[in-house]
Amino acid sequence: MKSELSELDVQNLRHLIGGYDTTHCKMNDYANNATDQQVKQFFQKAAQSAKENKQQLMQFLG
C-alpha cells in the first residue's frame, strides 16, 4: 500500500532536495579548485553522494 505524502512532507522533501543540490554544486566547485589530489577526490565523492541523495529523494515526488 502506497501512502500519500502530506503537504508538509512534500515541503520537507523539496527543502532537502534543494540542500543536496546546493551541496553538490559547492562540492564540485571545491573539487575543481583543489590542488591536492586527495582533497580533490574527497570533494568529488561528496559531490557525487549529494547528487545521488538528491536523485533518490526526487523519486518520492515523482
Side-chain angles (χ1 to χ4, degrees), residues 2-3 5 8-9 24 27 29 34 47 50 52 54 58-59 62:
K2 184 179 177 183
S3 61
L5 294 175
L8 181 59
D9 291 332
H24 174 251
M27 295 298 119
D29 286 343
E52 290 169 2
K54 175 189 168 188
M58 287 179 67
Q59 292 176 357

Side-chain angles (χ1 to χ4, degrees), residues 5-19 61:
L5 294 175
S6 71
E7 186 62 32
L8 181 59
D9 291 332
V10 172
Q11 289 175 4
N12 287 335
L13 279 171
R14 287 183 177 148
H15 179 75
L16 288 169
I17 288 167
L61 298 177

Side-chain angles (χ1 to χ4, degrees), residues 17-43:
I17 288 167
Y20 280 123
D21 192 45
T22 300
T23 300
H24 174 251
C25 291
K26 286 183 182 238
M27 295 298 119
N28 267 336
D29 286 343
Y30 297 152
N32 290 335
N33 290 311
T35 55
D36 182 278
Q37 193 59 33
Q38 284 183 306
V39 173
K40 182 182 278 294
Q41 287 177 351
F42 172 82
F43 286 122

